[in-house]
Amino acid sequence: MKKKLLAMLFGSALILGACGGGDDTADDAADTGNDDAATEESAGESASGVDAEKVVQQKCISCHGENLEGQGNFPALNDVGSRMSEDEIRDIIENGKGAMPGGLVEGEELDAVAQWLSEKK
């Protein structure tokens, strides 16, 4: 039931996000000021622009729990940075371990998620 509700909410957010906004290209090209809000990285967003928290919500919570608290045979990730380095986390995401298959997250998303999870202490 929770997964269905989460999926419905996520789907609604995607639809509303796709429908919103207008053509902002003229405003973006004209804006050369140094806006502090625009230069700050949002929570979970890496320097590459990947929102690691969003990737984790899409690909990890079904096994590791909504709050990354772990469930069943899947370990908690909410404090994984205190147990593993960023490289160790990246290796597990890339190659898999135990019941977790490798390759669920790749490329820039892999780097961003490994970094984000390594900060969870």
Side-chain angles (χ1 to χ4, degrees):
M1 179 70 178
K2 288 182 183 179
K3 289 181 184 177
K4 288 182 182 179
L5 179 61
L6 184 61
M8 188 171 72
L9 288 173
F10 181 70
S12 298
L14 283 175
I15 291 170
L16 291 174
C19 294
D23 186 15
D24 296 0
T25 55
D27 291 340
D28 291 343
D31 185 15
T32 58
N34 193 6
D35 187 359
D36 289 338
T39 58
E40 290 180 16
E41 292 179 4
S42 65
E45 191 168 313
S46 71
S48 64
V50 174
D51 187 347
E53 187 173 4
K54 185 176 177 182
V55 174
V56 168
Q57 290 294 316
Q58 291 173 343
K59 300 191 178 189
C60 304
I61 64 168
S62 62
C63 295
H64 292 282
E66 289 184 43
N67 297 315
L68 302 178
E69 72 278 7
Q71 55 187 21
N73 293 330
F74 300 98
L77 299 179
N78 56 0
D79 64 348
V80 69
S82 65
R83 295 173 291 162
M84 298 179 151
S85 71
E86 183 177 336
D87 289 336
E88 291 171 319
I89 295 168
R90 181 181 293 107
D91 182 62
I92 290 173
I93 296 170
E94 189 172 28
N95 300 310
K97 182 176 181 181
M100 179 179 156
L104 294 176
V105 181
E106 298 175 328
E108 288 181 352
E109 287 183 346
L110 170 63
D111 295 334
V113 168
Q115 179 183 3
W116 186 77
L117 286 173
S118 72
E119 295 168 359
K120 298 286 182 197
K121 303 196 186 239

